[in-house]
Amino acid sequence: MLQLILGGARSGKSRLAEKLAAESGCAVTYIATSQPLDGEMNERVRHHRERRPEHWALIEEPIELARVLRDNARADACLLVDCLTLWLTNLLMLEDLQRLNAERDALLECLAELPGEILFVSNETGMGVVPLGELTRRYVDEAGWLHQALAERCQRVVLTVAGLPLTLKGTAL
């Protein structure tokens, strides 16, 4: 089953994904896309590490998400990707502008063939004002397009607000 869990900052989306992964009954691999390049991001990573069970496997991959999913998806596995918008940011910051399209297309193309449970966590960024800068506008646009394409392919889509899940597609939680 493919699931997309959306929400704003500190909405409870990661906690919900971790709960669903723990309840899956499968071996869990946490796929972290962040690149902790400053103190604040290091603190966020530390917080996430402390919350995760020690027996979960961890893969840190900021760019090649489709490859990691293909290499690790199994019928008896649960892969938790946290988070897609950090992955998108990593791609937007590369000098090779075509890499974003190639990696996004590879992700979307591999989804139908992945066995097991896959949980995607992502920030919903399109509910506010239109950003001023060109890069920020591109980020919001790319995130919105990615979320639409992923939601179309997922069996369940959940929006998390104030720690409460609102099921947008699929069976309610």
Side-chain angles (χ1 to χ4, degrees):
M1 175 182 230
L2 299 172
Q3 299 185 64
L4 174 60
I5 301 171
L6 300 166
R10 300 288 186 245
S11 65
K13 61 191 177 297
S14 293
R15 189 175 305 259
L16 174 61
E18 292 162 4
K19 178 180 180 284
L20 293 172
E23 293 173 353
S24 73
C26 299
V28 177
T29 299
Y30 188 99
I31 301 170
T33 63
S34 71
Q35 297 185 87
L37 302 175
D38 60 39
E40 188 270 340
M41 192 54 125
N42 282 322
E43 181 60 26
R44 285 178 181 257
V45 168
R46 185 191 62 75
H47 177 72
H48 279 258
R49 279 190 184 131
E50 288 176 355
R51 212 171 54 210
R52 287 194 304 266
E54 289 186 20
H55 64 277
W56 285 9
L58 171 66
I59 297 173
E60 296 176 331
E61 177 51 56
I63 301 295
E64 296 180 2
L65 185 54
R67 178 189 54 79
V68 168
L69 291 172
R70 282 191 308 271
D71 290 351
N72 292 279
R74 300 183 323 270
D76 62 344
C78 177
L79 305 180
L80 192 167
V81 178
D82 198 355
C83 95
L84 289 175
T85 42
L86 286 173
W87 173 71
L88 182 62
T89 299
N90 297 337
L91 290 166
L92 283 167
M93 300 312 292
L94 294 176
E95 290 186 24
D96 180 0
L97 298 178
Q98 298 309 309
R99 187 78 185 267
L100 168 63
N101 294 335
E103 292 294 335
R104 181 196 56 232
D105 292 349
L107 171 65
L108 295 173
E109 289 169 10
C110 81
L111 295 177
E113 65 195 45
L114 297 176
E117 298 283 328
I118 316 287
L119 295 159
F120 294 101
V121 176
S122 199
N123 290 288
E124 179 51 64
T125 60
M127 299 176 89
V129 297
V130 176
L132 292 176
E134 179 183 346
L135 179 59
T136 310
R137 281 192 304 275
R138 181 165 183 227
Y139 164 79
V140 171
D141 289 349
E142 293 289 350
W145 293 324
L146 176 64
H147 292 160
Q148 289 180 54
L150 204 57
E152 190 176 295
R153 291 161 173 82
C154 287
Q155 288 79 36
R156 181 184 290 147
V157 179
V158 177
L159 177 65
T160 307
V161 179
L164 301 173
L166 173 63
T167 303
L168 303 175
K169 178 182 176 182
T171 57
L173 294 176

